[in-house]
Amino acid sequence: MGTRSKNKNLLNNFFNFKYYKLAAVIVITAISFLASLFGILTDNSPLSHFLIIPVVLVSFLYPKRGLLFSSITGITFLFIFFIINHGTEGYIPRGILQITMIILAGSIISYITLKFEAAEEKYLKTINDQTEMIYSFRPGGVYTVVNNAFCEYYDVDKIKVEGHTFYPKMPTEDIKNIRSLLKSLDPQNPVKSIDHRIIRPDGSIRWVSCNIRAIFDDDNCVKEFQTVARDITDSMVLQDNLKDKINYVSALMDTIPAPVYYRDLSGTCRDCNSAFEKLSGLSKSDIVGKNLHEIFEPEMADCLIRYDEIVLADRKQQQYESEIINSDGNRHYFLFSKMPRVGTGKNVAGIIGTAFEITARKQAEEELKKSLNEKTILLNEVHHRVKNNLAILNSMIGMQMNGISEGYYYEKLNDTRNRIMSMALIHEELYKSDSISYINPDVHFNTLAKELISNFNMSKEIGFCIKTDGCLFDINTAIPCSIVVNELITNSIKYAFEERDFGNITIHMHSDNDFYYLKISDDGTGMPKDFDQNNTSTLGMKLVKNIIEYQLEGKITLLSEEGTTWDIEIPKSTE
């Protein structure tokens, strides 16, 4: 049983007690009066019967002195009785009996009255100890009982309230509401509750919750209103704050252009924003309380539920793309993002989901893919044609070389043909590659080395060791770097092994975020001691220096201790 129900029972018992006490007084007084009247009519000495009335009244009004008063009254009666009857022997038992009846009547009345007062004090103490306000008032506005909590709350004196009219200050609207509620109480519905405002003496407005019970007489007329009330201002403030937060969150959700919704574990939608209404073609009132199958087509609903189950199982955010046939009948693409909503006790209470329309992005991607495919085909065609043109040019130089005996001009034409061949290889690999921006240097260097050995038609055994550590050349670096590697390998083949029938050429390459590092070395005779790479008259070395330092903005360093080693550092292209 709640505190308020308990207080109502206390109040009812208290008022019932008051009525019982009044009834007892009336009954006892009536009996005493009738007994005295009977004594007057039937006895020559009715004094004892008259004395019972004051004894009863004094014992009732002053119960703690009732026994003393009845004893004094009885002894006085006995003394007067003996004087009147001159000590007649037959009157002695009768006098003792009458005095005993007087003392006994006073004692019984005092005992009963003290019990009533103790019970009344107990009920009053219980009522006054309650933290809730307990009070009763008659239909005319006279308050019959108020407890201490009532007096403290309204800052009034109990003596000035009980038995008087008292009207707490309230807004006019609240007064009308209370009067309407009091009029609506009837024997079939005697109890109702109301929340209303009161204006405190300091001007502050507080909220009070009242539970009012009407007490009816035998004619079904209201005798009294018994009320239990408590201050609910803090609760109302919390409710107002909660409403403000709900309104804020709702307004915030509606400002989000993407659809947002919340569903519980049973799959029922509990809230959504205006964008979700537009997506589904339903109003919020038609969405809340329904499951996904009642909102979307079966295929779409099954898709949403399938991913919801993944979110609930993994208890973490999930993102996925899906198609939706919108309320306008058109197909739209959405990126869904969902995460579990954790309630009290860290238990999953539902799922919060949002959907970003990516139809325009998907269409742009398709257009971009289409355009990219077209450009890739076109670029591959360009590489193919350039490679073919370079191959034709290379063949023309080869035909020209057929009419020239080996010597100075033959060697120069062969060097030119090798340079053209190195560029043609780049275009051929780009044409064959899946990428149009990068080539694999490991494949390119191995192919270039084989072509150079073939073009020189040498009987010497020259081995190649090529390691590139998985590097990739960007297109802006690949062609000039290929020409440099072609020149340096050509020099090693032509001059490093003049006194031997074998040799080894090594190409090592690696990179970091900013640079390519290339090392080309041979185990041949090495460069002449008077060789100066900054002052060289050969076309090949001038070409290497210009490409590395000016075109690629890199550095090249010669090491010629055991054989020849070229250390090259090339910055990666930022284009």
Side-chain angles (χ1 to χ4, degrees), residues 10 17 94 102 148 304 313 388 422 507 555:
L10 289 173
F17 163 75
R94 184 179 175 185
I102 291 172
N148 292 340
L304 294 173
N388 288 343
S422 68
I507 301 175
K555 294 189 299 182

Side-chain angles (χ1 to χ4, degrees), residues 433-476:
S433 174
D434 293 332
S435 171
I436 61 173
S437 302
Y438 295 91
I439 68 165
N440 186 341
D442 186 82
V443 174
H444 176 69
F445 291 155
N446 275 288
T447 304
L448 180 62
K450 292 177 182 178
E451 291 291 336
L452 288 175
I453 293 294
S454 175
N455 286 345
F456 277 105
N457 195 20
M458 298 179 64
S459 59
K460 295 181 179 181
E461 293 184 5
I462 299 177
F464 282 89
C465 179
I466 299 172
K467 294 181 180 180
T468 59
D469 293 342
C471 295
L472 293 176
F473 262 144
D474 61 82
I475 188 64
N476 294 322

Side-chain angles (χ1 to χ4, degrees), residues 389-402 413 417:
N389 290 336
L390 291 175
I392 292 171
L393 182 58
N394 205 11
S395 298
M396 291 174 63
I397 295 174
M399 292 173 61
Q400 188 68 41
M401 290 172 62
N402 290 334
L413 287 174
R417 189 173 67 165

Side-chain angles (χ1 to χ4, degrees), residues 353-414:
T354 183
F356 300 93
E357 184 166 5
I358 55 173
T359 305
R361 193 194 78 184
K362 280 288 188 181
Q363 292 173 347
E365 287 179 355
E366 292 299 324
E367 292 294 330
L368 185 60
K369 287 179 181 178
K370 182 179 178 181
S371 176
L372 183 59
N373 288 335
E374 292 175 352
K375 291 180 179 179
T376 301
I377 293 172
L378 180 60
L379 190 56
N380 284 337
E381 183 63 22
V382 170
H383 286 306
H384 184 60
R385 289 179 181 273
V386 170
K387 182 208 61 159
N388 288 343
N389 290 336
L390 291 175
I392 292 171
L393 182 58
N394 205 11
S395 298
M396 291 174 63
I397 295 174
M399 292 173 61
Q400 188 68 41
M401 290 172 62
N402 290 334
I404 302 173
S405 59
E406 292 187 9
Y408 177 80
Y409 294 106
Y410 183 90
E411 182 179 345
K412 295 303 179 185
L413 287 174
N414 194 42

Side-chain angles (χ1 to χ4, degrees), residues 170-182 194:
M170 302 180 193
T172 304
E173 179 184 356
D174 294 70
I175 294 175
K176 292 180 180 179
N177 293 336
I178 292 176
R179 287 177 177 172
S180 176
L181 180 138
L182 294 179
I194 187 172

Side-chain angles (χ1 to χ4, degrees), residues 80-128:
I80 295 172
F81 182 81
F82 280 128
I83 293 175
I84 293 173
N85 292 282
H86 306 288
T88 304
E89 182 178 354
Y91 285 93
I92 293 176
R94 184 179 175 185
I96 294 173
L97 178 62
Q98 289 181 353
I99 190 175
T100 302
M101 290 182 61
I102 291 172
I103 295 173
L104 184 61
S107 300
I108 292 173
I109 296 299
S110 296
Y111 176 78
I112 294 174
T113 304
L114 286 173
K115 283 295 184 180
F116 273 122
E117 288 184 350
E120 180 180 4
E121 183 179 357
K122 176 182 177 182
Y123 281 118
L124 284 174
K125 185 177 184 302
T126 302
I127 290 173
N128 284 324

